[in-house]
């Protein structure tokens, strides 16, 4: 089975409203890779940047439950089009929504740019389009991050981050690819930004540091 990212253009369609109102099954246009997308594949739905900072990213996980076929648009999608709904039959696929992210669980596009695996996602390199392939390595990493984002940190994760903070004491802290922060993020299944923010939390209560960290 393969993994894909399907993108929704927020300039023409209210993807959040559509998913929130759905009964669990939706239809999505297949403009690319029609011969490679099959029932059983995993799809992550991606909200395109809307012009608001950090508005783009992964907001749902779905499973393909039909073969690609010529279908009318979902009747339930019509109220969410910002332009005239497409009434014609087009190449589409039926998806079952597995999980819809809440605010804390949404994976921001900006977070993935500093991840050594996910920074190479096709949708980040060439964002124009509807359907994007995800490699097996990217799929494994994305699945792990999807499961951990928005979940409270475990004691072992906090201890690992605190140990790294101690190791980096009085040194610049970076979340760039190849940094100790990014390396730890891979080990605990978090995005580099999450580990970086945790270290900044420690910094905010470190009596040795005069500069402010992150209090959250």
């Amino acid at each position: 089975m393969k993994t894909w990212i399907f993108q929704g253009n927020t300039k023409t369609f209210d993807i959040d409203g559509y998913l929130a109102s759905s009964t669990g099954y939706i239809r999505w246009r297949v403009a690319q890779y029609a011969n490679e997308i099959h029932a059983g594949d995993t799809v992550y739905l991606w909200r395109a940047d809307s012009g608001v900072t950090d508005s783009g990213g992964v907001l749902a996980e779905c499973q393909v439950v039909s073969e690609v076929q010529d279908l009318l648009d979902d009747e339930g999608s019509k109220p969410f089009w910002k332009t005239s709904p497409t009434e014609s039959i087009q190449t589409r696929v039926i998806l079952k929504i597995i999980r819809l992210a809440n605010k804390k669980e949404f994976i921001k596009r900006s977070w993935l740019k500093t991840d050594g695996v996910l920074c190479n996602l096709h949708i980040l390199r060439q964002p124009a389009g509807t359907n994007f392939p995800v490699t097996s390595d990217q799929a494994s990493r994305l699945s792990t991050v999807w499961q951990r984002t928005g979940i409270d940190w475990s004691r072992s994760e906090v201890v690992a981050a605190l140990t790294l903070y101690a190791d980096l004491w009085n040194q610049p802290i970076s979340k760039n690819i190849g940094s100790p922060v990014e390396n730890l993020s891979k080990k605990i299944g978090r995005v580099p930004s999450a580990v970086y923010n945790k270290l900044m939390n420690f910094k905010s209560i470190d009596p040795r540091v005069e500069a402010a960290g992150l209090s959250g």
Side-chain angles (χ1 to χ4, degrees):
M1 300 300 176
K2 294 183 178 181
T3 299
W4 307 88
I5 288 176
F6 287 4
Q7 179 169 225
N9 186 346
T10 54
K11 293 180 179 178
T12 58
F13 187 70
D14 178 7
I15 182 174
D16 294 88
Y18 177 49
L19 294 177
S21 69
S22 169
T23 58
Y25 291 88
I26 60 175
R27 298 182 183 187
W28 211 269
R29 184 170 175 240
V30 176
Q32 301 90 21
Y33 306 100
N35 295 329
E36 300 179 46
I37 297 171
H38 299 288
D41 287 356
T42 296
V43 170
Y44 291 98
L45 296 184
W46 182 283
R47 181 205 296 144
D49 287 318
S50 63
V52 179
T53 302
D54 274 342
S55 61
V58 177
L59 76 164
E61 176 189 3
C62 300
Q63 184 180 40
V64 180
V65 293
S66 77
E67 292 302 306
V68 177
Q69 55 194 290
D70 292 334
L71 293 169
L72 287 169
D73 200 0
D74 182 0
E75 280 290 323
S77 72
K78 289 184 177 180
F80 302 101
W81 283 100
K82 299 176 182 179
T83 57
S84 299
T86 303
E87 301 289 349
S88 62
I89 292 176
Q90 293 187 348
T91 305
R92 293 184 171 91
V93 73
I94 300 174
L95 304 176
K96 177 183 179 181
I97 300 175
I98 303 300
R99 180 162 73 90
L100 182 60
N102 60 32
K103 267 188 170 182
K104 289 178 63 179
E105 296 166 342
F106 177 73
I107 299 177
K108 297 179 181 180
R109 177 180 182 272
S110 61
W111 294 348
L112 306 181
K113 290 183 174 182
T114 56
D115 186 280
V117 176
L118 299 177
C119 67
N120 291 314
L121 282 168
H122 188 57
I123 194 169
L124 294 180
R125 293 187 288 109
Q126 296 178 342
T130 304
N131 318 105
F132 301 83
V134 178
T135 68
S136 57
D137 287 346
Q138 292 168 347
S140 177
R141 174 65 173 151
L142 185 55
S143 175
T144 300
V145 168
W146 175 247
Q147 293 170 33
R148 299 302 301 159
T149 300
I151 303 299
D152 290 342
W153 282 57
S154 67
R155 183 181 186 278
S156 60
E157 288 176 323
V158 174
V159 170
L162 184 57
T163 301
L164 178 60
Y165 179 78
D167 290 343
L168 295 177
W169 163 243
N170 217 20
Q171 300 178 44
I173 298 176
S174 168
K175 57 184 175 183
N176 291 336
I177 295 171
S179 67
V181 167
E182 197 254 343
N183 291 336
L184 178 59
S185 75
K186 291 177 182 176
K187 294 179 181 178
I188 66 174
R190 303 276 180 173
V191 291
S193 293
V195 176
Y196 176 85
N197 289 346
K198 183 63 67 177
L199 267 58
M200 292 300 102
N201 292 155
F202 295 142
K203 187 175 182 179
S204 73
I205 57 174
D206 188 339
R208 302 170 296 179
V209 180
E210 294 182 2
L214 291 174
S215 59

